[in-house]
Amino acid sequence: MKKRQNKSKKDKGFSLLLSIIVVFCILGGVVFSVARKISAEMSASAIQNLSESLDLIECTIEAVLNKEAEFQKLMAKEIAMWENPEEYIRTFEKNQTMVKISLIRAGESAGISNSNELFSEEGLDFSAGGTVDGLAVSQSYTNYMGTWAYTMRCPVEKEGEVIGQFYIEYVYDSLDRALPNGFYNNKAMLYIMDAESERMVLKPKGMGERSAGHLNLEDFFRANDITDEVLREKVIASVRNGKNIMFNHDIRGKDALIYMWSVNEGTLYLIGYVPIEAIQQEGNSVNQNIFIVVTVMLVAFFLCCVLYYFNQRQQNRIRKEREQERELHNRQLAEALHAAQIASKSKTTFLSNMSHDIRTPMNAVIGFTTLLARDAENPDKVREYTKKIMASGQHLLSLINDILDVSKIESGKVVLSVEPFTLNDLVSSVDAIIRPMAAAREQKFHVEVTGIKHEYLLGDETRINQILINLLSNSVKYTQERGNIWFRMIGMKQRSPQFEHIRIEVQDDGYGMTPEYLKIIFDAFTRAENSTTNKVQGTGLGMAITKNIVELMGGTIDVSSEVNKGTLFRVELELRIPEGQTNKRFWTENGISRILAVDNDEVICENIHMLMVDTGVKADTVSSAEQAMEILKENGTEEEACQLLLIDWNVVDAEGIQKVKALREMVPDTMPVLLLADCDAGIDETILTANTKILTKPFFVSAFQEKILEIRAGQNKGNAKDASVIDSLEGLHFLAAEDNEINAEILREILSIEGAECEIVENGQLAVERFTRAAEKEFDAILMDVQMPVMNGYAATRAIRALDRKDASQIPIIAMTANAFAEDEKEALDAGMNVHLAKPIDVELLKKVINQYVSGKE
């Protein structure tokens, strides 16, 4: 019985043990099965992650390549806009990405690079047909620095025509900065391979231990013991077809996953491997404690790496900043030295030139003064010598004015005086100065104004006038006799409705300039010198002054020229449009609501429409006298009939004067008829009646209004006489403060010739005392010098204005001084003076100013 019980207990124990073993086996099997499933899923997930990582690296590299191609296209467009693309190429310095940029013009086999070396396409292989964003990419190669590189080629197009090929050499090392700093805990191996040559061109940071540049695909096979010919052929075929491939392989006794990933449609390949254990280890979470320990260690390691990375980056940043500051400081010192050397050389040359230019008119002044003393009894000789002395003095004064202008510009003391002005006055004043100069050399002076919407503008008219006179007078000087000068004002597309965008063009068919001189034309103290132009005198400052004034106004200026073919200057300005500039009351008061313009030039007709659109006057235009007659016949009795005829003289030349007379007879005698003509148009005076006048081109509304007022007023023959009476200084009595005896004598004689009396004192103190003793209205005005002993002109003016007498605040005080800067004029006005005149005194300007400010003469 006991044996049976013991045997039964043993059987039950065995069964329980067996059951426990079976349960543990089943549990083990389940755990093992789940573990395998999890491991397989984690492996698949790891492979998927690897694929995504490779896709990310692929996208990163392609994005870098596309950005490089996009930037190269933008540079190509900018090169196309340069007159001298080679100069643009030389301005670029190599950087970490672009080590060389080059240009080969169309039709040429070689070009220039930014290192001033001769560049050709020899050595670059574009035969593989690889492209990035449409740009051809060469095969990879080792450049002169021993670094793997590639070149992109971009066509340079100008006006739809390819004018050259633009090359940029990029180094593969620049891609390294855009790639991740390793993956799979730096256990993965990664190379970048050029698909065509099968050479390894880059090993990104943290990706394996072997160096790129000493490996090719065959070396990769041999190093990783890939000897299976079928597998090798499959890999090579995938590379040549631009396809991705992954396969397992034993590398040095470890199972690994080898990958070859296509980039940029197969021109590049990402090649490497990841050990399987590294893939499995990333998803292994069997032991929680180990996982926690590993996690803590990884976190600590990661934090240490991050801290080390940020510390190293901070140190590198500080070091780079110090190096950049040092380089910048050295470059600034070198540039400053170079600029100082150039300035010293330029000013030395300038002084040498000026020594001749100043002595020339001074020699004439002294020489003719000597002759004047000898021939004082000969009136004809005296007049001749005096005229030549005056011309030499004016030339000397223009030299001094240029030097003063450039001095003000360099010291930053130029101040713009923004005031309302009209383009009509501007063009008229320029025409009045330049046309006689051109006529003296038998040159044709053409004035064209097109596309201008507003003729009333805000700006510094004097400075704009100075710009135009500088450019046009140079064109006259440097153009041969019987040449042509063109002055154009063109309305451009407005960038803002508050500003008129104007392009000014000054063109001639004269001697032109060399490319070398064009580079320095806007530098101070420079001027063109050749056998044709070396007799033209000047300071060499005009263009520098012009450029500075244009830039001060916020505009731009550029020049193009060709020797013996002429020169073209372009100035672009934006001038503010004043509010409420249109005077519609003028047209209503003069009974004009509709005009008829006869002109066969569409551009002039468009200008008339454009300028008259804001006046409220309807402007009809026809191209011939016959059409005008038809309109006059149809509308002659209607209320909407025109009240003024505007006829272009070119139409008269084409159709005959009889047409004009016929048109004149068809309208009432009181209707104004204006002939729009060039200044030098030969118009038959017989057709000019009381209400038929000439309106000089170009057409402006303000000039149009003045001519209408002239017709309405009916000029009388006594105007000239009245004007001469108004301009006279006869009977006026002046008090003058002048410490220089010669200047005082000149002033007394000038006023004596004009019939005026002048009492002169030596300084400002005496002027104050004399005015204090003077009876009320004894003096009509005070002419005040500024720099004088005892008391200067400013202090004297303040003292006179402070006197307790009625006329002290009313008497005009006119500053007459050699201080010609804008701040001098402001100081004079602040001191209480009425107006500022710069010496030497212009007699006509002095008479005009005196008549304006003397009571009862305005």
Side-chain angles (χ1 to χ4, degrees), residues 12 100 129 173 236 306 308 375 416 440 474 681 760:
K12 289 181 179 178
K100 180 189 289 186
D173 289 343
I236 293 173
V306 170
Y308 177 77
D375 297 326
L416 295 178
N474 273 356
I760 298 177

Side-chain angles (χ1 to χ4, degrees), residues 695-824:
L695 179 62
T696 305
K697 291 182 180 179
F699 177 84
F700 284 110
V701 175
S702 56
F704 192 27
Q705 290 175 325
E706 290 174 6
K707 193 60 66 173
I708 293 171
L709 288 176
E710 181 182 323
I711 293 175
R712 295 292 191 224
Q715 291 177 303
N716 59 65
K717 297 181 180 180
N719 285 346
K721 181 178 179 181
D722 294 341
S724 64
V725 173
I726 291 173
D727 289 338
S728 174
L729 302 181
E730 186 75 32
L732 297 182
H733 189 198
F734 299 100
L735 173 62
E738 175 61 71
D739 64 318
N740 186 286
E741 293 183 3
I742 295 177
N743 289 344
E745 182 179 353
I746 293 172
L747 179 60
R748 181 184 287 110
E749 290 300 323
I750 289 175
L751 293 176
S752 176
I753 293 172
E754 297 296 330
E757 296 181 1
C758 180
E759 183 175 337
I760 298 177
V761 294
E762 296 179 357
N763 57 60
Q765 181 65 47
L766 294 177
V768 175
E769 294 173 357
R770 179 65 184 88
F771 181 77
T772 305
R773 298 193 305 270
E776 187 174 342
K777 296 186 179 180
E778 179 179 348
F779 296 109
D780 294 292
I782 299 175
L783 308 178
M784 185 74 72
D785 191 11
V786 171
Q787 293 185 356
M788 294 182 292
V790 184
M791 180 183 286
N792 64 35
Y794 301 140
T797 300
R798 293 188 184 95
I800 291 174
R801 295 301 189 202
L803 291 176
D804 187 16
R805 50 186 291 175
K806 181 179 179 180
D807 60 344
S809 62
Q810 298 175 350
I811 187 168
I813 301 179
I814 301 171
M816 300 176 60
T817 173
N819 297 349
F821 289 169
E823 58 270 22
D824 299 316

